[in-house]
Amino acid sequence: YKSTVWPYLLHQLARMINDEGQTVDLYIPRKCAWSNKLITAKDHASVQLNIGHLNEDGVYTGQFTTFALTGKTRCFGESDAGLDVLWNKKKADEKASQ
């Protein structure tokens, strides 16, 4: 291949295409639920938590809420308090919508 064609072919191989033929991004960045900052790909201390929903009897309903936290938030020890505030806010929003 000529040097001008090779980068084009490499770009074509690196694309991800769904069943409809649309190009899908290879990386979708996440945002911290507490600090609202972007979680980079190199933030290996970040976590994403799925918190399950329970019914009145304490049985898992199959639904969950996802929260992502940056490594910096966890390092400062703010993740526990932040998660508590976020969960209480979510519960209040659900009660207000019902």
Side-chain angles (χ1 to χ4, degrees), residues 7-76:
Y8 175 76
L9 291 175
L10 186 62
H11 178 70
Q12 293 295 321
L13 293 173
R15 290 187 354 190
M16 191 188 304
I17 300 173
N18 63 7
D19 295 336
E20 289 84 32
Q22 299 170 343
T23 302
V24 181
D25 289 332
L26 294 174
Y27 174 71
I28 300 172
R30 298 175 293 159
K31 285 184 92 173
C32 178
W34 179 243
S35 65
N36 226 16
K37 295 189 181 204
L38 193 65
I39 299 175
T40 63
K42 293 292 183 179
D43 188 356
H44 298 295
S46 65
V47 292
Q48 180 169 321
L49 303 169
N50 293 331
I51 300 175
H53 296 207
L54 306 176
N55 63 11
E56 302 83 31
D57 300 326
V59 179
Y60 177 61
T61 62
Q63 297 176 336
F64 58 88
T65 301
T66 304
F67 294 109
L69 299 169
T70 62
K72 187 174 182 179
T73 303
R74 293 181 65 217
C75 180
F76 288 150

